[in-house]
């Protein structure tokens, strides 16, 4: 038995045609599952009896269980989901003026092991399947009864270390017969796996890409992210340029501000030199404290000074206000376990 949520529309079309059904039947199934959120093939009243029997014999529905659901004072909501193998993952819903954005998890733990991130404290146990990622979005909209308009792939895990399932997930939520989340409303964040950035540049969908840069040079970046030894900063920048050239899209660089580590004005100057001429913007994030690390986020003053320096040097920059810090739902605070 296959889980129906693991299928992209084209995979389902292909399969149904192979078994003598019509291509448009797949669209009907998708609409039942994602638009009407029906979880029983028998209730799909516009399908033939034969097709319903076929689906029942070959596919099953499956869902994540909600173990916990916490609401922050700022409207951010964090969900702890239990997977079928009894592991736990976290998913975050952020309520913005422009709509609701869900931050999904792609792996159980993370092997990249950045020196500042709670998610990386747990070694990767396994990749999530497309179904488990899709379900995070479905469950959040089911529980809150609110439409999810944006998705950020910034929860636990390195999405480009689980490339195929992540791309399948994007295909499924983007389908006009499914959740219809526009590609321009989907953002994938990577720690900088260069070959996968190149692969991503060739994907036909207009999905946004964010790269966790966090440093203006190799020395600082290697200290924060050991992956920089494998893919040094210049190769990451080169791949970013290639992405922009191929897709004609702006790229985002994420930069967490750590007091006295990467937040000096000389670092802002170095960063602006590095990014000069790239169609990009820099998303500055004040570091959220993680109990296990002896690291401190920049003060508001230092963060503002850094922001203004980048601005004055012509770099598009935003200083992000964190959401959900009070419930440990902010960037880098997610964990794949129940505590
Ligand atoms: N693995 C991917 C996506 C998940 S992390 C990546 O690293 O890009 C999402 C973002 O949160 C990344 O930019 C990450 O560097 C950042 N982050 C991790 N820990 C953080 C923390 N404690 N405070 C603020 N941002 C953090
Ligand atoms: Fe993994 Fe991203 Fe955390 Fe680094 S920042 S450990 S890549 S989740």
């Amino acid at each position: 038995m296959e889980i129906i949520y693991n299928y992209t529309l084209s995979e389902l079309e292909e399969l149904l045609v192979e078994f003598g059904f019509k291509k448009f039947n797949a669209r009907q199934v998708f609409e039942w599952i994602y638009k009407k959120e029906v979880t029983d093939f028998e209730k799909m009243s516009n399908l033939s009896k034969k097709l319903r029997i076929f689906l029942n014999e070959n596919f099953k529905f499956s869902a994540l269980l909600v173990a916990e659901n916490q609401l922050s004072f700022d409207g951010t909501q964090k969900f702890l989901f239990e997977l079928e193998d009894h592991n736990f993952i976290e998913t975050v819903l952020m309520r913005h003026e422009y709509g609701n954005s869900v931050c999904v998890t792609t792996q159980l733990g993370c092997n990249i092991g950045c020196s500042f991130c709670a998610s990386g404290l747990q070694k990767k146990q396994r990749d999530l399947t497309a179904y488990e990622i899709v379900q995070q979005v479905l469950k959040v909209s089911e529980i809150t009864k609110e439409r999810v308009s944006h998705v950020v792939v910034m929860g636990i895990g390195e999405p480009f270390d689980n490339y195929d399932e992540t791309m399948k997930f994007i295909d499924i939520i983007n389908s006009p017969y499914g959740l219809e989340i526009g590609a321009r409303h989907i953002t994938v964040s990577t720690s900088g796996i260069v070959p996968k950035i190149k692969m991503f540049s060739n994907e036909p969908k207009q999905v946004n890409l964010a790269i966790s840069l966090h440093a203006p040079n190799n020395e600082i970046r290697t200290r924060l992210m050991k992956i920089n030894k494998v893919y040094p900063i210049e190769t990451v920048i080169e791949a970013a340029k290639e992405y922009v050239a191929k897709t004609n899209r702006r790229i985002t660089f994420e930069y967490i501000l750590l007091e006295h580590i990467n937040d000096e004005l000389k670092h802002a100057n170095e960063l602006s030199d590095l990014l000069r001429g790239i169609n990009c913007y820099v998303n500055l994030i004040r570091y959220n404290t993680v109990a296990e690390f002896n690291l401190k986020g920049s003060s508001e003053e230092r963060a503002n000074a850094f922001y203004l320096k980048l601005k004055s040097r012509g770099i598009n920059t935003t200083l992000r206000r964190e959401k959900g810090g009070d419930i440990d739902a902010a960037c880098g605070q997610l964990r794949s376990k129940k505590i």
Side-chain angles (χ1 to χ4, degrees):
M1 282 277 208
E2 299 264 4
I3 297 175
I4 191 78
Y5 301 110
N6 264 326
Y7 275 68
T8 63
L9 182 66
S10 43
E11 284 172 343
L12 194 60
E13 284 172 346
E14 209 173 292
L15 187 104
L16 291 186
V17 168
E18 191 184 318
F19 283 87
F21 299 99
K22 295 276 182 290
K23 201 171 161 185
F24 75 85
N25 288 144
R27 293 183 196 161
Q28 293 175 310
V29 175
F30 248 59
E31 285 177 338
W32 280 111
I33 299 174
Y34 296 108
K35 292 216 189 292
K36 299 183 188 126
E37 294 179 21
V38 164
T39 54
D40 178 354
F41 294 118
E42 282 311 315
K43 293 200 176 125
M44 301 186 177
S45 52
N46 59 357
L47 307 186
S48 67
K49 177 105 189 116
K50 196 172 145 217
L51 177 54
R52 277 180 278 149
I53 293 172
F54 174 82
L55 291 169
N56 261 325
E57 279 174 355
N58 294 286
F59 291 99
K60 63 176 181 178
F61 289 90
S62 207
L64 304 183
L65 296 173
V66 194
E68 261 174 51
N69 173 353
Q70 279 175 282
L71 185 62
S72 157
F73 69 88
D74 65 17
T76 300
Q77 212 164 342
K78 184 170 80 168
F79 302 85
L80 182 74
F81 290 120
E82 184 173 356
L83 308 173
E84 264 148 282
D85 60 7
H86 307 299
N87 276 302
F88 292 90
I89 53 165
E90 290 186 321
T91 303
V92 179
L93 167 67
M94 290 159 288
R95 294 179 168 93
H96 299 285
E97 268 139 50
Y98 56 79
N100 281 356
S101 175
V102 170
C103 175
V104 295
T105 283
T106 52
Q107 298 181 313
L108 267 176
C110 182
N111 275 348
I112 308 294
C114 301
S115 63
F116 49 79
C117 174
S119 306
L121 282 170
Q122 290 142 273
K123 273 215 140 320
K124 179 180 97 174
Q125 294 171 48
R126 69 171 175 87
D127 289 325
L128 295 194
T129 61
Y131 137 70
E132 289 167 321
I133 316 174
V134 170
Q135 266 285 319
Q136 296 172 51
V137 181
L138 273 180
K139 272 285 160 203
V140 169
S141 92
E142 185 191 311
I143 297 165
T144 59
K145 302 197 170 50
E146 291 171 39
R147 174 168 157 75
V148 174
S149 57
H150 292 67
V151 165
V152 292
V153 187
M154 297 189 184
I156 304 162
E158 167 49 53
F160 284 178
D161 183 37
N162 185 14
Y163 191 87
D164 293 348
E165 295 299 303
T166 300
M167 294 316 293
K168 256 172 91 163
F169 157 72
I170 290 172
D171 192 307
I172 294 168
I173 60 166
N174 177 236
S175 167
Y177 303 97
L179 294 171
E180 262 190 292
I181 298 175
R184 288 182 174 78
H185 288 183
I186 303 172
T187 304
V188 178
S189 173
T190 178
S191 57
I193 318 275
V194 169
K196 294 294 163 55
I197 297 176
K198 290 181 188 244
M199 202 183 266
F200 192 74
S201 306
N202 292 318
E203 297 284 348
K205 288 191 196 298
Q206 298 281 296
V207 175
N208 303 306
L209 180 63
I211 297 182
S212 297
L213 201 60
H214 304 330
N217 58 44
N218 278 320
E219 192 198 331
I220 303 177
R221 196 163 190 267
T222 301
R223 190 170 150 199
L224 298 174
M225 308 172 77
K226 60 182 197 286
I227 186 84
N228 193 63
K229 282 192 200 141
V230 187
Y231 305 114
I233 201 161
E234 59 278 4
T235 65
V236 173
I237 296 296
E238 203 43 54
K241 284 184 181 161
E242 208 177 303
Y243 168 87
V244 172
K246 280 206 170 133
T247 61
N248 242 329
R249 295 186 64 68
R250 181 189 275 192
I251 195 164
T252 300
F253 292 105
E254 290 157 293
Y255 195 101
I256 50 172
L257 289 165
L258 290 154
E259 191 139 297
H260 300 303
I261 294 180
N262 65 357
D263 72 344
E264 309 287 351
L265 293 183
K266 67 170 189 220
H267 298 143
N269 284 332
E270 209 178 345
L271 183 63
S272 55
D273 289 342
L274 186 69
L275 304 183
R276 179 131 347 267
I278 305 177
N279 181 16
C280 69
Y281 83 89
V282 175
N283 199 352
L284 296 173
I285 311 158
R286 277 166 68 197
Y287 178 69
N288 299 305
T289 311
V290 174
E292 287 86 343
F293 306 120
N294 188 17
L295 288 168
K296 196 165 164 265
S298 305
S299 65
E300 202 169 332
E301 271 176 315
R302 291 179 70 89
N304 283 335
F306 196 93
Y307 165 80
L308 289 173
K309 181 52 115 184
L310 284 185
K311 280 281 223 201
S312 74
R313 301 209 56 192
I315 304 289
N316 296 310
T317 312
T318 51
L319 179 55
R320 194 157 84 186
R321 214 170 337 117
E322 269 308 331
K323 283 180 170 285
D326 56 324
I327 54 168
D328 277 354
C331 286
Q333 295 183 320
L334 302 185
R335 293 152 195 263
S336 53
K337 69 168 186 249
K338 211 173 167 177
I339 13 180

